[in-house]
Amino acid sequence: MKADGRVNGKTRLTGLIGFPIAHSVSPQLHNTLSLLLHENIIYIPMKVPPEELPTAVSGLKSLGFSGFNVTIPYKASVMDYLDEISTEARLIGAVNTVKIENGIMKGFNTDAEGFAGAFRTETGTDFKGKNVVILGAGGTARTIAVKVVLEAAGRLSIINRTADKALRLAYDVMRIAGDTVNTTKPSEITGSGIMLPDIIAIIDSADIIINTTSSGMYPDTEDCPLPSEACILKHRQIVYDVIYNPAETQFLKMARSFGCTGVNGLGMLFRQGVAAHEIWTGRKITEETLIEAFTAFREIAANPPEGDE
Ligand code: NAP
């Protein structure tokens, strides 16, 4: 048997904290990236119960970690234990990546750039001046809503099953847009419930429709985030679904049947990881390596690990 020399005394440490985390494909993604880039870095999953969060975060610094990712339910609460937070992460109100350097812990949000980077790469366009509709008003909706406003969307409509949450998110994003120095602010930011016929008109005038709800996600693969009466699309519209399991949701199938460009969330998941890796190493990954890594990542994501028992 050949000795395993992948981890040695010089190996840099990174990983993921969350609760639960067994379902995560991030360890495979990051360790594959390190392998491809010939970097001596290891990424490990760390299941942290809520009462242990402060000691776990300070422990990672004491143990000399280069950084770590943060997932549900700690993306907001981890901010209390960091020294610095990037402007974008502060505006979004969530951190998913922490870099530890010279004893300073700085938080970033790479979900936002992961989404925007994947969107640009896979659709060949951006949000400038576009009429954007977001379905959902949870954590991912907040991240994406702030990002599209920072990227100069022309108009933003948020539609959610629970109307109150859509209204609150629209209000928050309006306030954030008002506070930023970005000169091109959306002409309108609205929130609403799933009410016909209002949403039919909103969907009809959209350029880009982004599903951030978990409706249609495995195992409820027959579900769709919009009622069928509102699912009348135009071929010029772009439909982005943050779900990646299944690779093609009912919503994406329906969008493709209207001739729309449809994109799933796998690229977002991949690119948030790439952005975190770049933050930790200070090294930009080439497009060539990204293509190779994405091919490997597709296989990993097609066979995700089982969740916590
Ligand atoms: P969250 O904060 O819990 O929000 C869930 C949202 O989905 C809420 O707006 C909720 O509406 C809505 N929703 C849930 N079930 C629904 C249903 N059956 N019909 C209509 N609306 C429904 O969750 P999150 O963290 O934002 O995650 C949302 C989705 O994004 C998940 O599928 C997750 O896997 C995916 N995601 C993907 C990536 C990626 O990299 N691709 C990254 C992060 C998250 P109510 O307010 O009415 O409850």
Side-chain angles (χ1 to χ4, degrees):
M1 184 197 163
K2 203 169 167 245
D4 185 348
R6 285 175 299 175
V7 178
N8 54 40
K10 290 184 183 168
T11 303
R12 291 173 65 190
L13 305 173
T14 61
L16 170 71
I17 61 167
F19 191 80
I21 51 164
H23 62 282
S24 175
V25 291
S26 290
Q28 290 98 317
L29 165 61
H30 283 275
N31 290 318
T32 303
L33 276 178
S34 297
L35 201 65
L36 274 174
L37 295 163
H38 306 289
E39 286 166 339
N40 191 0
I41 303 175
I42 190 169
Y43 184 103
I44 53 173
M46 295 169 286
K47 184 173 164 185
V48 176
E51 66 279 10
E52 299 292 346
L53 181 65
T55 37
V57 170
S58 68
L60 294 174
K61 182 164 120 178
S62 306
L63 291 167
F65 271 62
S66 300
F68 56 95
N69 279 141
V70 184
T71 188
I72 287 167
Y74 303 132
K75 288 186 183 185
S77 52
V78 76
M79 294 166 83
D80 292 343
Y81 310 106
L82 305 180
D83 303 299
E84 294 173 18
I85 293 165
S86 75
T87 308
E88 192 162 280
R90 192 175 289 288
L91 291 175
I92 292 166
V95 158
N96 79 323
T97 299
V98 176
K99 177 171 178 144
I100 309 175
E101 194 171 39
N102 304 322
I104 305 287
M105 293 205 276
K106 179 165 181 178
F108 299 85
N109 189 310
T110 68
D111 285 330
E113 187 42 43
F115 162 73
F119 185 90
R120 282 191 295 267
T121 308
E122 296 185 55
T123 66
T125 187
D126 57 24
F127 304 103
K128 220 173 185 172
K130 303 281 182 3
N131 185 350
V132 180
V133 173
I134 293 180
L135 308 178
T140 309
R142 177 174 292 268
T143 301
I144 290 178
V146 172
K147 188 66 176 171
V148 301
V149 164
L150 293 178
E151 300 224 340
R155 219 167 98 195
L156 174 63
S157 311
I158 299 163
I159 299 173
N160 191 45
R161 178 175 65 177
T162 311
D164 276 3
K165 281 169 73 180
L167 289 164
R168 209 174 320 136
L169 179 56
Y171 174 79
D172 286 352
V173 177
M174 221 178 316
R175 205 168 29 81
I176 289 166
D179 288 349
T180 54
V181 286
N182 181 353
T183 48
T184 355
K185 311 227 189 298
S187 61
E188 201 181 17
I189 300 177
T190 60
S192 68
I194 304 183
M195 276 178 322
L196 300 169
D198 301 15
I199 60 165
I200 293 180
I202 295 172
I203 297 291
D204 187 61
S205 61
D207 298 312
I208 298 166
I209 303 158
I210 305 163
N211 175 42
T212 72
T213 77
S214 36
S215 173
M217 189 171 80
Y218 179 84
D220 301 313
T221 53
E222 295 303 311
D223 291 357
C224 188
L226 280 178
S228 54
E229 300 91 317
C231 276
I232 300 156
L233 304 177
K234 301 194 183 79
H235 73 276
R236 61 163 187 81
Q237 293 178 316
I238 296 174
V239 172
Y240 193 103
D241 197 328
V242 300
I243 294 172
Y244 50 86
N245 182 17
E248 183 146 286
T249 57
Q250 281 300 334
F251 189 43
L252 277 186
K253 272 188 199 143
M254 193 263 315
R256 290 209 173 99
S257 76
F258 283 96
C260 304
T261 301
V263 182
N264 74 19
L266 196 62
M268 172 181 174
L269 183 67
F270 174 70
R271 287 194 178 251
Q272 62 75 29
V274 167
H277 195 93
E278 290 180 341
I279 286 171
W280 295 327
T281 61
R283 180 177 170 194
K284 185 98 186 115
I285 303 176
T286 62
E287 258 328 292
E288 205 179 22
T289 307
L290 285 185
I291 292 167
E292 199 178 339
F294 192 54
T295 306
F297 181 59
R298 265 186 206 285
E299 275 176 43
I300 297 164
N303 300 293
E306 302 259 316
D308 285 13
E309 54 296 321

